[in-house]
Amino acid sequence: MQTSADKKDRTHWLPYLVAATFFMEYLDTTVIATALPQMARSFNVGPNEISLGMTAYMLALAVFIPVSGWVADRYGSRTVFGGAIVVFTVASILCGLSDGVLEFTIARVLQGIGGAMMVPVGRLIVVRNTEKSKLMQAIATITWPAIAAPVIGPPIGGFITTYATWRWIFLLNVPFGIAALVAVIMLVRNERGAERKPLDVGGFLLSGAALTSILYGTELASQTDSNVPVALAFLLAGGVFGFLTWHHAARREHPLIDFSTMKVPTFSVTVLTGSFTRIGIGAVPYLMPLLFQIGFGMSAFTSGLLLLASAMGNLSMKAGVMPVLKRFGFRRVSIVAVTCAGLMTIACGFMTASTPLPVILVIIFGYGLARSMQFSTLAILAYADIPPPLMNPASTLWSASSQMMIGMGIAFGAVSLRFADYLHGGAGAASANTNGEPFAMADFRLAFILAGIVTLLSVLGYVGLERDAGAGIGGASRAKS
């Protein structure tokens, strides 16, 4: 029989376990970009051919994230979460041992299926087993890998590919996967849904088509040599399938994606308004390395070292998220954090090769602070007012939305850069990117300004929040305000 002390000890460690698996998944996603040239040489193909593995992983995530909640309810959260870790780890081994593009792509699809089950189900385990009073701290803990991985992943990937081999990017997951699986067996209960619901096959197909179209469209848009009309066609198709998914869900008793969670004001703000925020802020990790390498003429390694300033800002803010939210509340923190993130993004556009290094570091560090605070705030606020029966569908919808916005942010940065180049007559600069397309400093400036404007416009959504939004989980109450 489990005592209250045993339960308390188990729930205390759950967020750290889930955060560790999230970090493994998010880091693996971000470090691979720096390894593509070495992998292409290893497989005797061009970089564009090897990028098929990245696309395959992304599409596998898109298809299987929506069904993760149903699978967890049917077979139990421990079974699914532990199984996802096994699939992800085995797929990592297969990736590391691959000798050709086909083998690597198949392994990445398998890895994507594992990741699609691991992230939303892990988040669900935490929110189901955490008291409301401790939910803020728990979600803050599992959020930091998603914040830190995009900025520390490229430098780590560059280090591994420079001083070892790209295969270690995947093989290093093995000991972490084994340790995580042991911890899952010890800490996670095999909770199932209270009601045995049938699988919404129509919702599965429609949501998969919507997410696949949107993410593939954003992937195309982010490639500088792609056909923009084709990318827009995929995005439009994704929007149509998304509408059909919503229409289908409204007519089903047990929809795969339950949009009734959007009736909760705090959750809908984090999904809708938060999407614009994530697009604007998410464009910076794409634009900044290009600015340093193309605009400033830096090496990839030097560029990665500068980006560590953003990572330091992300990690430095982690300890301050809880006290700040408890003191000032979600509404005021969101408004200030988004405003700062938008201004810092615009400031990035005015950096030049002659800008003093301390000024560059301050801007990048400030962006990291604001980014960390706002992303943590959104992740915590999303579950502030969600009732227990809706925790599963909320986790599924949040995971699908977050995954889409990662791609949308990158695509927005790429399209903004190409749009700026078009406005400036395509004159470009003396140096060019890997695809041979030149960009001038003026192009980067306008791209950063556009990303900053999108971020600042999202402030309007947070202004509409109640003053005591999130007070139920520890945010500042109306009385304190």
Side-chain angles (χ1 to χ4, degrees):
M1 181 176 179
Q2 187 183 47
T3 66
S4 58
D6 292 335
K7 180 180 179 181
K8 182 178 180 181
D9 187 61
R10 179 180 61 82
T11 55
H12 171 76
W13 289 107
L14 281 178
Y16 297 99
L17 165 62
V18 173
T21 60
F22 283 13
F23 188 72
M24 181 173 66
E25 195 270 338
Y26 285 121
L27 189 65
D28 202 65
T29 304
T30 56
V31 298
I32 187 176
T34 57
L36 287 182
Q38 190 184 94
M39 294 173 67
R41 289 192 295 270
S42 177
F43 294 160
N44 295 315
V45 296
N48 287 338
E49 294 179 65
I50 201 67
S51 66
L52 178 64
M54 297 181 67
T55 304
Y57 177 86
M58 176 189 65
L59 297 183
L61 282 177
V63 171
F64 288 98
I65 279 179
V67 80
S68 60
W70 181 87
V71 175
D73 274 348
R74 175 62 64 92
Y75 300 104
S77 51
R78 181 176 64 189
T79 300
V80 176
F81 189 54
I85 293 173
V86 171
V87 170
F88 190 88
T89 304
V90 171
S92 297
I93 297 174
L94 295 177
C95 286
L97 299 178
S98 297
D99 290 322
V101 175
L102 179 61
E103 297 173 33
F104 178 70
T105 302
I106 294 174
R108 285 291 281 174
V109 170
L110 187 62
Q111 200 177 35
I113 295 173
M117 297 293 168
M118 193 160 62
V119 173
V121 175
R123 186 181 290 110
L124 178 63
I125 289 171
V126 171
V127 297
R128 273 183 172 174
N129 289 274
T130 305
E131 299 174 6
K132 277 278 188 179
S133 60
K134 298 179 180 178
L135 189 59
M136 185 186 298
Q137 177 64 59
I139 297 181
T141 299
I142 67 174
T143 301
W144 76 266
I147 297 172
V151 287
I152 69 174
I156 291 177
F159 179 83
I160 292 175
T161 54
T162 300
Y163 297 103
T165 172
W166 62 268
R167 298 182 187 278
W168 282 106
I169 288 176
F170 300 101
L171 296 179
L172 286 175
N173 287 332
V174 177
F176 293 106
I178 294 174
L181 182 61
V182 172
V184 167
I185 295 173
M186 295 175 60
L187 299 175
V188 179
R189 294 184 303 175
N190 203 34
E191 300 171 313
R192 290 181 171 86
E195 184 180 357
R196 194 177 181 88
K197 302 175 183 178
L199 176 62
D200 178 13
V201 177
F204 174 67
L205 295 176
L206 287 172
S207 63
L211 290 171
T212 299
S213 298
I214 291 174
L215 289 177
Y216 187 64
T218 57
E219 172 71 11
L220 287 178
S222 66
Q223 297 175 8
T224 54
D225 58 349
S226 65
N227 190 317
V228 174
V230 173
L232 292 177
F234 272 100
L235 292 174
L236 179 61
V240 172
F241 281 121
F243 172 78
L244 293 176
T245 302
W246 171 80
H247 185 266
H248 171 84
R251 302 165 66 89
R252 296 279 300 185
E253 182 180 359
H254 300 296
L256 187 67
I257 298 183
D258 190 349
F259 290 96
S260 65
T261 53
M262 296 296 289
K263 296 178 181 178
V264 179
T266 48
F267 183 79
S268 63
V269 166
T270 61
V271 173
L272 297 177
T273 304
S275 293
F276 287 96
T277 302
R278 288 193 289 269
I279 288 174
I281 296 178
V284 177
Y286 171 83
L287 292 171
M288 199 173 290
L290 293 178
L291 172 66
F292 291 152
Q293 294 177 45
I294 298 174
F296 293 7
M298 294 179 175
S299 66
F301 182 71
T302 303
S303 171
L305 291 179
L306 283 180
L307 292 175
L308 287 178
S310 176
M312 293 301 296
N314 279 288
L315 297 178
S316 298
M317 181 53 73
K318 182 180 179 295
V321 170
M322 292 286 293
V324 171
L325 286 175
K326 288 181 178 180
R327 173 66 180 85
F328 298 104
F330 287 89
R331 180 178 180 271
R332 282 194 284 181
V333 169
S334 294
I335 293 172
V336 173
V338 171
T339 301
C340 291
L343 294 177
M344 288 297 175
T345 299
I346 293 174
C348 288
F350 288 90
M351 295 189 302
T352 66
S354 60
T355 302
L357 180 60
V359 175
I360 293 177
L361 293 176
V362 167
I363 293 174
I364 299 174
F365 183 79
Y367 161 79
L369 289 175
R371 179 180 185 271
S372 179
M373 175 56 77
Q374 185 57 22
F375 281 7
S376 297
T377 299
L378 287 173
I380 297 169
L381 183 61
Y383 298 95
D385 301 317
I386 294 291
L390 292 180
M391 283 293 186
N392 194 332
S395 179
T396 300
L397 183 55
W398 172 258
S399 297
S401 171
S402 299
Q403 186 62 39
M404 275 199 306
M405 291 311 112
I406 292 173
M408 293 291 282
I410 295 172
F412 181 79
V415 171
S416 296
L417 195 56
R418 295 177 69 177
F419 175 69
D421 182 57
Y422 172 77
L423 288 182
H424 296 139
S431 55
N433 59 20
T434 55
N435 291 307
E437 183 174 347
F439 293 113
M441 287 299 299
D443 300 332
F444 286 106
R445 180 171 298 115
L446 181 56
F448 276 109
I449 290 175
L450 290 175
I453 289 174
V454 169
T455 304
L456 291 174
L457 287 176
S458 68
V459 171
L460 299 175
Y462 303 113
V463 171
L465 279 172
E466 294 290 337
R467 289 181 179 271
D468 59 353
I473 59 171
S477 67
R478 185 188 300 272
K480 291 180 181 178
S481 299

